[in-house]
Amino acid sequence: MICLPAGLEVDFRQQLYAYEEQQRMPYVTTVEQAGVEKGLQQGLQQGLQQGLQQGLQRGEATILQRLLSMKFGAEAAEQYRTRIEAAEPEQLERWSERILNAETPEMIFH
């Protein structure tokens, strides 16, 4: 890396900007490029984690729906479908545990 005197630095930047405009080639520094790459990687990782979480939640909802249908019939399962699909993972887990001892569907969801 070279440090230019203040006067030359200003001149260099003006010439660089003029060249970029002429060539339509915006300059991206190594630090900026690293930041972009890091941001993309973090975004990808977050997206993968969120997708995995949503997939697990859908799986839990499907299992609970199936258990409800097997124990209380298809009508009961259909009656609670919307509620099950909108539930958070923790709630789905509690309901799945309650189904073991429930005598009615209401005992699971209340």
Side-chain angles (χ1 to χ4, degrees):
M1 184 171 209
I2 299 174
C3 276
L4 297 174
L8 290 176
E9 177 74 25
V10 171
D11 188 43
F12 170 76
R13 287 194 186 276
Q14 288 174 347
Q15 288 181 15
L16 177 62
Y17 294 142
Y19 178 76
E20 287 176 348
E21 283 295 318
Q22 183 182 14
Q23 299 298 319
R24 297 189 189 261
M25 295 175 32
Y27 176 71
V28 177
T29 67
T30 305
V31 173
E32 290 171 328
Q33 182 63 32
V36 168
E37 289 173 6
K38 184 176 180 179
L40 288 172
Q41 182 134 10
Q42 287 175 343
L44 178 61
Q45 183 67 26
Q46 267 185 331
L48 287 172
Q49 287 175 345
Q50 188 176 15
L52 179 60
Q53 180 67 27
Q54 288 174 350
L56 289 172
Q57 186 172 353
R58 277 190 221 118
E60 290 173 352
T62 300
I63 291 169
L64 179 57
Q65 197 69 31
R66 179 180 263 161
L67 292 172
L68 192 60
S69 180
M70 291 172 70
K71 188 164 183 174
F72 298 108
E75 288 180 18
E78 190 59 37
Q79 180 182 354
Y80 290 97
R81 178 181 301 281
T82 304
R83 192 167 177 189
I84 291 171
E85 289 174 352
E88 294 295 321
E90 298 80 19
Q91 185 65 59
L92 290 170
E93 186 176 332
R94 282 192 295 273
W95 290 340
S96 294
E97 291 170 355
R98 289 181 192 167
I99 201 168
L100 296 172
N101 299 318
E103 294 177 16
T104 66
E106 291 78 22
M107 291 176 74
I108 299 166
F109 299 101
H110 297 297

